[in-house]
Amino acid sequence: MSGSGVNRALELLRSLPRVSLANLRPNPGSKKRERRRGRGRYGGRKCGRGHKGERQRGNRPRLGFEGGQTPFYLAIPKYGFNEGHSLRRQYQPLSLQRLQYLIDLGRVDPTQPIDLTQLINARGVTVQPLKRDYGVHLVEEGADIFAAKVNIEVQRASELAIAAIEKNGGVVTTSFYDPRSLEILCKPVVFFLRGKPIPKRMLPPEDLVRYYTDPRSRGYLADPSKVAEARLELAKKYGYVLPDITKDELFKMLSARKDPRQIFFGLAPGWIINLADKKILKPTDESLLKYYSS
Amino acid sequence: MSRVPGSGGAARGAAGTTGIPRDPPTRPRCVFQEQLQPPAIDIPMARLTVSYSRSSGPGGQNVNKVNSKAEVRFHLASADWIPEAVRQKMALMHRNKINRAGELIVTSEESRYQMRNLAICLEKIRTMVTEAIEKPKVVSKETAQKLIERVEKMNRERLRQKKIHSTIKQSRKADFD
């Protein structure tokens, strides 16, 4: 059946004339006629400028001028609402509803640890490291319908979001990525093509150390035993039974964590990835090894 | 997937080996507050009946469809996780919240999320139990005496000031007889 269709198409190609400018035409509705002033009954005469005065003569005062009255933008006193806005850390929100949507559609694989790279590859979030984005913030919208067991690593997470994930038997970790590491994490292939060694991830600045060493925010620098205690506490607070992940079949995957200096799972700082030859180059020099393992 | 072996096998807890600048040990800000708070009461979830329903109030389609009001009920007389005396006190204090079957009912529809409303319900139950446990403050005789003395002193001072004011006003009167 398809054979005759193909044959018919080939016959057409043989019989129809050559494609030339005389045979081509844009799709109806794709090209709209340009509106030109000074032409015809409606575009002409006053040409849309009104009748006399500053309007027609093009001499209107500057934007914001209110005829002499102190304009709004000068009457209102200054206040530093936006002061230092370009130095503030921003986090792209990721709701649990969106995460469930991505998992249901198969864009994100819950059987592997979910990382920022996985989320960006799935086009679930868009992070712009150059616009002072420091990562992703897990938000509780959709906490009631969330039903997926995941090992997720974000940069910030709200308490209810953590509770919702742990209720379903998952694991949340919050970790810090400095802007350079974040850029590499968001676009790994572009970085690998540069041919530079993977840098080590920097530790959080002073004001974030407290957050990332706090077991309640499941920080990656927090004491694991305290994190376990915090999990129990949260379960008591929100009134659910904390599932025992040690008895889970995916326990190994759920407990997979990155080293504080590691950017990618399975790749250490100092390695160079050669995508063309599919090879990994590791440093052998002692001083380099010492630097990268510190 | 697994942690990289070359990075010294630094566990997440052993931050000291990687030379991470440690936070100075936080001095306890309000020690008194921590010592006076009793340990959080453990509520056995299996003994409670939790049900969810639609909340009231504005909100359009969302409030009409989403079950976010949480209701927790449990039979107060048979709750052995609360001491007997406390149970009786609670039955007295919250008799308006107990139905004919003897079940204490706590509801919450303050939040948009079921989980949070459930947490609020549990918190309310904990507060109820804590309030029922606390004993009324016993004011010692000396303190009671001091309080009475203070009130008397205040009144004496007030009357003294009043008399002084009165003499001032009198002295301004010009009485030519």
Side-chain angles (χ1 to χ4, degrees), chain A residues 244-257:
Chain A
D244 197 359
I245 55 166
T246 49
K247 299 198 175 51
D248 204 334
E249 52 188 14
L250 287 168
F251 172 58
K252 199 158 174 244
M253 184 280 289
L254 289 174
S255 58
R257 298 290 162 79

Side-chain angles (χ1 to χ4, degrees), chain B residues 64-79:
Chain B
N64 289 344
K65 291 170 79 171
V66 173
N67 285 0
S68 47
K69 173 172 169 183
E71 186 191 73
V72 172
R73 47 172 86 196
F74 63 97
H75 194 235
L76 187 58
S78 64

Side-chain angles (χ1 to χ4, degrees), chain A residues 140-144 160 163-164 167 203 210 219-222 224 236-239 256-257 259 262 265-268 293, chain B residues 1-4 6-8 10 12-13 18-21 23 26 29 42 45 112-116 118-119 122 126:
Chain A
E140 57 257 4
E141 182 72 38
D144 300 328
L160 186 58
K167 183 177 174 182
L203 292 166
R210 186 168 290 236
Y220 69 131
L221 300 170
K236 267 197 234 170
K237 178 176 174 185
Y238 282 92
R257 298 290 162 79
D259 189 70
Q262 196 184 9
F265 275 118
L267 297 176
S293 63
Chain B
M1 274 188 305
S2 56
R3 215 167 290 159
V4 174
S7 345
R12 271 166 56 245
T18 52
I20 294 166
D23 232 4
T26 48
R29 296 236 172 101
D42 200 11
M45 287 306 298
R112 295 177 65 208
Y113 305 105
Q114 256 179 24
M115 286 178 73
R116 192 162 277 150
L118 179 58
L122 296 175
R126 275 190 209 108

Side-chain angles (χ1 to χ4, degrees), chain B residues 38-99:
Chain B
I41 293 140
D42 200 11
I43 303 179
M45 287 306 298
R47 303 289 300 272
L48 308 175
T49 317
V50 184
S51 71
Y52 300 108
S53 55
R54 290 184 291 274
S55 310
S56 62
Q61 198 183 36
N62 201 36
V63 86
N64 289 344
K65 291 170 79 171
V66 173
N67 285 0
S68 47
K69 173 172 169 183
E71 186 191 73
V72 172
R73 47 172 86 196
F74 63 97
H75 194 235
L76 187 58
S78 64
D80 9 299
W81 46 280
I82 313 175
E84 181 60 47
V86 179
R87 254 180 274 165
Q88 279 162 11
K89 184 102 189 281
M90 276 172 76
L92 219 67
M93 274 166 70
H94 304 287
R95 65 175 100 89
N96 293 340
K97 299 189 187 70
I98 300 175
N99 69 2

